[in-house]
Amino acid sequence: MANPSISFTDRYSSTLQPLLLLSTDYLAIIIAEWCAVGGRDIVLELLGRKNDWFELNNF
């Protein structure tokens, strides 16, 4: 009788899939922030502004 074995993907899928999803989601957030800041810098450069600082007044 053959010895049944569980494949690597079947054995660790319950831990690898959430870790893969978490890391992919985190990477997508970092890339989205990078694109937003880069796009903002491009727009400010096209408008002719060298720097545009945000000022938040104290309440």
Side-chain angles (χ1 to χ4, degrees):
M1 188 166 188
N3 188 8
S5 64
I6 300 173
S7 69
F8 178 79
T9 55
D10 289 339
R11 183 178 297 157
Y12 296 108
S13 66
S14 63
T15 56
L16 290 178
Q17 287 176 350
L19 288 176
L20 182 63
L21 178 66
L22 182 69
S23 61
T24 304
D25 188 41
Y26 183 75
L27 185 63
I29 291 170
I30 296 299
I31 290 173
E33 289 180 5
W34 180 70
C35 289
V37 171
R40 181 180 180 272
D41 290 341
I42 289 171
V43 169
L44 288 176
E45 186 176 322
L46 290 175
L47 292 176
R49 298 181 186 169
K50 296 194 188 261
N51 56 6
D52 187 30
W53 298 100
F54 290 116
E55 290 186 23
L56 298 175
N57 296 327
N58 292 331
F59 284 105

